Amino acid sequence: MASSKDKVSKTNAARLLDRAGIGYELIPYTVDPDNLAADHVAEELGEDINRVFKTLVLHGEKSGHFVCVIPGNMEVDLKKAAKVAGAKKAEMIHVKELLPLTGYIRGGCSPIGMKRSFPTFFHSSVLDYDFIYVSAGVRGLQLKIDPRQLVQFCGATVAEVATFFE
């Protein structure tokens, strides 16, 4: 079940998983405020960048806000993301909108426990792994979790929403 390291405070995301009976581990890492990129997180965790997923919030024309959870070595494909979200086009929200909209800050945005529930789309590669990492809701703390349970818990759809960096 849930386990956490000494002196690691449970986040709202962790408490929600506890309530749902979903197992996970809280994994702390050292934050570099000048480098919040997923590759830094993967390096700190000593893990494959493909297992470290980042949570991005977008706004679709006519469809409203939605969330894409994609591997750290990829970027959201705005055309594909818009299509799966039922929008003609989509764009990333501005970083200053993130906290008021989700309750999370850049580098600490989790797909679990946002202020409101948004349609959520995980990149299809999520199903390639027995565990992945996503933010626990604060910088410096990741959730190590079974991706199938996470996708189900989030009521998410698995889709092609990202592409490799060019």
Side-chain angles (χ1 to χ4, degrees):
M1 289 290 165
S3 69
S4 60
K5 306 251 191 267
D6 290 341
K7 298 180 185 166
V8 174
S9 297
K10 284 218 174 159
T11 61
N12 187 46
R15 286 188 290 276
L16 289 168
L17 291 171
D18 286 346
R19 260 187 248 140
I22 295 174
Y24 62 90
E25 285 181 64
L26 287 172
I27 311 291
Y29 67 94
T30 304
V31 177
D32 177 352
D34 296 323
N35 183 4
L36 299 174
D39 58 349
H40 171 74
V41 176
E43 191 177 305
E44 284 292 317
L45 297 173
E47 285 290 348
D48 178 354
I49 185 70
N50 295 299
R51 287 185 187 264
V52 178
F53 280 66
K54 54 192 176 185
T55 304
L56 306 172
V57 182
L58 294 89
H59 186 266
E61 187 180 271
K62 296 189 176 138
S63 68
H65 292 98
F66 63 99
V67 175
C68 288
V69 186
I70 66 172
N73 63 338
M74 298 183 91
E75 61 186 349
V76 70
D77 182 315
L78 295 174
K79 285 186 172 125
K80 289 178 181 176
K83 187 174 181 179
V84 299
K88 285 191 178 198
K89 64 184 202 178
E91 61 186 20
M92 296 283 297
I93 65 166
H94 193 278
V95 70
K96 70 181 180 200
E97 296 175 66
L98 190 62
L99 181 60
L101 187 66
T102 67
Y104 292 125
I105 60 171
R106 181 172 170 259
C109 188
S110 179
I112 303 164
M114 291 187 184
K115 282 182 174 181
R116 289 186 29 224
S117 184
F118 298 107
T120 301
F121 304 93
F122 279 78
H123 184 260
S124 58
S125 66
V126 75
L127 300 178
D128 295 344
Y129 303 103
D130 55 344
F131 67 87
I132 62 163
Y133 296 88
V134 294
S135 175
V138 294
R139 290 178 183 167
L141 195 60
Q142 292 279 302
L143 287 165
K144 181 179 179 181
I145 190 166
D146 178 318
R148 285 154 192 79
Q149 289 187 318
L150 179 59
V151 167
Q152 184 177 6
F153 180 75
C154 292
T157 301
V158 174
E160 293 296 323
V161 292
T163 187
F164 287 101
F165 288 108
E166 290 187 21

